[in-house]
Amino acid sequence: MAEPAADVERMEFQLALRRRGISDQAVLRAMDEVPREHFVAADYVEAAYADQALPIACGQTISQPYVVAYMTEQLEVRPQHRVLEIGTGSGYQAAVLSRIAREVVSIERYRTLADAARDRLKTLGYANVTVVSGDGFAGAPDSAPFDRIMVTAAAEQVPDALVAQLAAGGKMILPLGPRKGPQYIVKLTKKPNGELLQEELIAVRFVPLLPGQAREL
Ligand code: SAH
């Protein structure tokens, strides 16, 4: 096991998030509790607490801490919520969500990443996260509806199956936009009558949400 990050480094990490406008105490606490150094590739442990995205296996990335905190804050996750995440990657975002929500289901299209994230989350004791190897475009119909849905790869359009699996009154957050063009974090709210409200938030850069389960491992 790696040594826990030095206190100074963690304090600076919290300060940087606050300086950038993260103010929800539950989110700040979750960001403090999850040891990011266990989720990055061994070669990048030194940079674990820097505010940048880092490469992980299968050509994917672990998102930048600010974006993780921002999306979590904007999703307005509460302790009673069941959350669906699309794009497990390293499992870091799922771990952060699991510190606030009752339950997290996370789907990843690369079996290698899903297996590694499942092991990592189990070892670290995140017992309320279920990692599924599958296609996020299909969501998890057997576990639906979800109070909150977070997609952590950029889609060109909002996937219909995910909207269908969102509870009435639920919220979904996702990066939306073309692979090479401008992408924005979009927040959707499903009103009790089923109507969808859509808000455009900050500009971002995410890896693409790709159709189907990865054929390579
Ligand atoms: N949330 C991750 C970062 C994910 S990067 C973390 O905290 O580390 C985006 C991830 O979405 C990648 O691992 C990619 O393989 C996955 N992905 C892309 N399209 C997908 C799909 N259709 N279904 C499930 N996962 C998908």
Side-chain angles (χ1 to χ4, degrees), residues 189-209:
T189 302
K190 197 186 237 185
K191 296 215 289 191
N193 66 4
E195 195 189 323
L196 274 188
L197 293 180
Q198 181 163 336
E199 275 173 83
E200 203 169 271
L201 305 172
I202 59 171
V204 282
R205 284 257 31 106
F206 268 85
V207 296
L209 187 69

Side-chain angles (χ1 to χ4, degrees), residues 77-83 100-103 147-148:
V77 182
R78 302 293 174 253
Q80 71 276 18
H81 285 160
R82 297 181 61 249
V83 183
I100 308 172
R102 173 155 64 98
E103 188 191 341
D147 305 295
R148 297 288 186 265

Side-chain angles (χ1 to χ4, degrees), residues 56 60-63 68 85-94 107-110 113 134-137 152-153 207-212:
I56 56 173
Q60 304 304 315
T61 54
I62 172 171
S63 309
V68 171
E85 182 201 15
I86 307 302
T88 314
S90 68
Y92 180 70
Q93 175 72 73
I107 306 179
E108 169 56 52
R109 71 187 287 275
Y110 282 99
L113 289 176
D135 179 11
F137 274 102
T152 63
V207 296
L209 187 69
L210 296 172

Side-chain angles (χ1 to χ4, degrees), residues 141-212:
D142 296 346
S143 309
F146 293 93
D147 305 295
R148 297 288 186 265
I149 298 178
M150 182 187 289
V151 184
T152 63
E156 306 225 354
Q157 274 140 23
V158 181
D160 291 338
L162 299 184
V163 173
Q165 289 168 35
L166 192 59
K171 291 177 196 291
M172 166 152 72
I173 193 153
L174 76 166
L176 212 57
R179 205 182 278 206
K180 294 219 164 76
Q183 299 171 357
Y184 291 90
I185 297 288
V186 166
K187 178 170 168 177
L188 300 172
T189 302
K190 197 186 237 185
K191 296 215 289 191
N193 66 4
E195 195 189 323
L196 274 188
L197 293 180
Q198 181 163 336
E199 275 173 83
E200 203 169 271
L201 305 172
I202 59 171
V204 282
R205 284 257 31 106
F206 268 85
V207 296
L209 187 69
L210 296 172

